Amino acid sequence: MDATTATPSLRRHSLDVVLRHAWRVDAFTASDVIAAIGVTRSTAIDVLDELTARRLLSEMPNARAVGEYSKGRPARRFAFRPDVGVVVGVDAGRGHLTTTVADLRGDTIATSRLTVDPERDSPERRRRAAEATVDATLTRARRRRSDIVALCVGVPAPVDRAGRSPVHHDRFWERMNPGFVDTFSSWSPVVRVENDATLAAVAEHARGDAVGCDDFIALLAGERFGAGIFVDGRLLRGKHGGAGETVAFDRVRGVGGAEGLAPRCVAAARAALASGALPADSPLRDLDPDRIDAKTVLDLAATGDAGALAIAREVGAALAGVVGIFGSLFDPDRVIVSGAIAEGADPIIRAAVDALPRAVDLPAPRILASTLGADIVSIGAVAAAVDAARDNALDLPLFAPTADRARA
């Protein structure tokens, strides 16, 4: 490789590593960059000046001015500018659309939520609804479309590397992902569309129980099972985006389908009520079968109700089967039960932990309840948008050097 090709490559590498350092820290000096990254002082200063010209950094009052330096030449101080643009995360669930506008570090500025009727859904209605929620949230955040650096949409469908979903026999995936990558291509210079369970895994890796973990499964477990899979520090996707699809559970003895923990709790409670298997003192005996929900069952299990605990053990055995499958296929360190159901899932998880050694030959993964709550897909969408913004910032016209922007 000759100098004419090596120099731009080295320059780009230096810009990238310094920007990544700046993105995750507060105010810093050239010496901090040198210590953290290992570039020379001249390179550090040169790169910091260019990133400042690109508006990604701002120069702060020097160290002497803020009382951190008393002798010699005062050090120049810099800070990343998270407010120079915004990212947008959209959780486009089956019955809702939740949009978050955040700064470039992922700190929320504004959020909007729209309930949609899945029975009256269509690709065109879903596109219009998504556009409306993003516009409304930008207005609430006092930002414009031109401020968007990256946008990520999470959908309950497989998504390939290009952001598109395969054709499904009943067109469900087409309704859930009606070409969002095209819908928002004129809104944002970077558009990322992902499966919702994949974004749950992104959220766990960024802010949850998988920070620093390279091998884990984020198991969305509410209405249906869906899995976001990290192996060797990388998200698994598959050719059509179906790496975490769970339709194969229909053929697994002891699991019996892709239904999540919530409908399993309800079905088990109704069966116990109908058969008379519930203890005489269980409050579940007094409930209308049509009004039983998972939260009630799990709340009673948490109080020690024997009937609800028996239901949790039954559902926990099925969860152990699910975890055993993922444990055998991917050898994760942990499986994180995610989504709104996680808040009350401890009785199910305890039962699954007891049953798990019989379901896997490898060392059993830990089973944890996520702490990120019902908004985990939104959290993951914002985190994925931040990742996309960071990965692409140096190539975006918004952050081109001043002279290049003037020529454009």
Side-chain angles (χ1 to χ4, degrees), residues 3-43:
T4 60
T5 58
T7 300
S9 177
L10 290 172
R11 173 71 171 185
R12 171 60 184 245
H13 176 72
S14 296
L15 285 166
D16 187 59
V17 295
V18 173
L19 177 59
R20 286 177 178 275
H21 174 75
W23 208 295
R24 65 176 184 266
V25 300
D26 294 325
F28 60 93
T29 67
S31 296
D32 296 328
V33 169
I34 294 165
I37 299 170
V39 295
T40 66
R41 176 166 293 277
S42 61
T43 296

Side-chain angles (χ1 to χ4, degrees), residues 39 72 122 266 314 326 402:
V39 295
S122 71
V266 172
E314 179 180 338
F326 285 122
T402 305

Side-chain angles (χ1 to χ4, degrees), residues 30-398:
S31 296
D32 296 328
V33 169
I34 294 165
I37 299 170
V39 295
T40 66
R41 176 166 293 277
S42 61
T43 296
I45 292 171
D46 189 33
V47 167
L48 290 169
D49 284 340
E50 178 171 336
L51 292 174
T52 301
R54 286 174 175 261
R55 303 187 306 131
L56 286 160
L57 302 183
S58 60
E59 187 162 1
M60 310 292 286
N62 65 47
R64 178 178 292 163
V66 296
E68 296 179 0
Y69 198 97
S70 59
K71 294 182 180 180
R73 184 177 180 179
R76 297 169 64 193
R77 299 168 70 248
F78 299 86
F80 176 65
R81 294 183 60 186
D83 60 344
V84 75
V86 298
V87 298
V88 179
V90 183
D91 173 10
R94 185 169 183 266
H96 69 273
L97 289 161
T98 302
T99 298
T100 303
V101 172
D103 68 20
L104 295 184
R105 279 207 173 110
D107 293 329
T108 297
I109 302 172
T111 301
S112 299
R113 183 179 176 92
L114 175 68
T115 300
V116 297
D117 182 355
E119 302 305 320
R120 300 179 64 242
D121 205 2
S122 71
E124 182 57 30
R125 282 180 175 171
R126 183 160 284 258
R127 279 192 294 267
R128 290 200 305 266
E131 289 177 320
T133 59
V134 174
D135 253 340
T137 315
L138 286 170
T139 299
R140 190 165 292 159
R142 299 184 179 181
R143 294 298 191 114
R144 298 168 296 186
R145 294 185 186 182
S146 58
D147 294 320
I148 301 175
V149 178
L151 182 148
C152 179
V153 186
V155 298
V159 182
D160 66 17
R161 294 172 183 83
R164 304 187 188 281
S165 297
V167 175
H168 190 259
H169 63 84
D170 66 359
R171 316 298 289 187
F172 176 74
W173 292 341
E174 179 184 346
R175 295 198 305 277
M176 294 300 100
N177 180 19
F180 280 134
V181 71
D182 301 317
T183 301
F184 289 111
S185 62
S186 63
W187 294 53
S188 172
V190 183
V191 179
R192 182 173 172 179
V193 182
E194 296 285 0
N195 170 260
D196 53 4
T198 294
L199 292 181
V202 171
E204 294 292 356
H205 199 245
R207 298 191 178 187
D209 288 301
V211 172
C213 180
D214 286 340
D215 301 279
F216 71 94
I217 310 288
L219 185 66
L220 279 183
E223 293 303 314
R224 288 181 65 83
F225 287 125
I229 304 166
F230 255 80
V231 175
D232 297 334
R234 299 175 58 189
L235 272 170
L236 297 190
R237 185 188 303 278
K239 179 176 175 58
H240 304 103
E245 286 297 304
T246 56
V247 67
F249 289 174
D250 293 342
R251 299 170 176 82
V252 178
R253 186 176 61 190
V255 174
E259 292 81 8
L261 299 182
R264 289 172 188 267
C265 284
V266 172
R270 288 174 178 169
L273 185 59
S275 68
L278 290 170
D281 60 348
S282 175
L284 289 173
R285 293 176 64 94
D286 301 324
L287 297 180
D288 180 343
D290 292 334
R291 299 178 67 87
I292 293 175
D293 58 36
K295 184 177 188 305
T296 299
V297 174
L298 294 176
D299 285 348
L300 287 171
T303 67
D305 175 68
L309 284 171
I311 292 166
R313 285 192 294 273
E314 179 180 338
V315 177
L319 176 61
V322 170
V323 173
I325 292 168
F326 285 122
S328 296
L329 290 175
F330 301 109
D331 191 20
D333 173 76
R334 64 199 70 170
V335 174
I336 306 168
V337 175
S338 303
I341 194 74
E343 183 178 356
D346 280 346
I348 296 175
I349 290 174
R350 287 197 298 271
V353 169
D354 290 341
L356 187 57
R358 299 187 297 274
V360 61
D361 291 329
L362 290 166
R366 289 192 292 156
I367 309 176
L368 307 174
S370 173
T371 59
L372 298 182
D375 292 330
I376 188 169
V377 177
S378 292
I379 294 168
V382 170
V386 170
D387 288 344
R390 186 170 54 235
D391 290 343
N392 292 277
L394 295 175
D395 297 317
L396 301 181
L398 180 64

